[in-house]
Amino acid sequence: MNTRIARTTPEFVAHFPATMSPGVLYVSIAYRTCGHLCCCGCGHEVVTPLSPAHWSLTYDGENVTLRPSVGNWGLECQSHYWIRNGQVRWSRRYAPAEIARNRALDRTALSRWSSRAGADRDH
């Protein structure tokens, strides 16, 4: 049986370790990304890119908040949770149509952000 993670501890790193530890949210500022083991306890690695179209990170000197929620739709567990002030808060399970709608919204946000970022680089 998988043991759910109740809280995360941030660890700022240049690179993710070869083997991640449960309950640690690895933050690489250089690569603008975070990584952790799925909080449901299934053991899968979860990577959350940091950008206006993906996730944002707030660090208060002790704890991390990651926004928006982490929906592991591509994993067998399909876990869905928030990481707020280091605490893992579980969300309800989404129906397949809700997952599809969220993925479409994510693709649209990424496309808009990529277009703006490209235009900014051209100027």
Side-chain angles (χ1 to χ4, degrees):
M1 184 168 153
N2 296 339
T3 302
R4 281 186 166 190
I5 302 300
R7 77 176 286 101
T8 62
T9 302
E11 186 172 320
F12 291 85
V13 297
H15 304 278
F16 296 157
T19 303
M20 293 183 179
S21 297
V24 178
L25 180 69
Y26 299 95
V27 181
S28 173
I29 299 298
Y31 291 99
R32 296 184 310 196
T33 192
C34 298
H36 65 283
L37 294 179
C38 182
C39 290
C40 82
C42 71
H44 285 284
E45 291 183 4
V46 177
V47 176
T48 51
L50 300 173
S51 80
H54 290 104
W55 282 269
S56 66
L57 177 99
T58 305
Y59 177 62
D60 67 6
E62 186 175 335
N63 294 302
V64 166
T65 295
L66 195 61
R67 287 190 177 99
S69 62
V70 179
N72 295 318
W73 317 130
L75 299 178
E76 186 177 326
C77 66
Q78 292 193 336
S79 62
H80 183 204
Y81 49 87
W82 296 84
I83 298 175
R84 291 188 178 151
N85 297 318
Q87 297 210 2
V88 178
R89 302 211 171 130
W90 291 91
S91 185
R92 64 180 176 79
R93 184 175 288 272
Y94 275 25
E98 291 175 298
I99 293 170
R101 187 170 44 254
N102 273 292
R103 284 182 163 168
L105 290 170
D106 289 346
R107 282 191 299 274
T108 299
L110 182 58
S111 177
R112 285 183 184 150
W113 178 76
S114 296
S115 295
R116 279 193 302 254
D120 289 345
R121 282 191 301 267
D122 293 339
H123 295 287

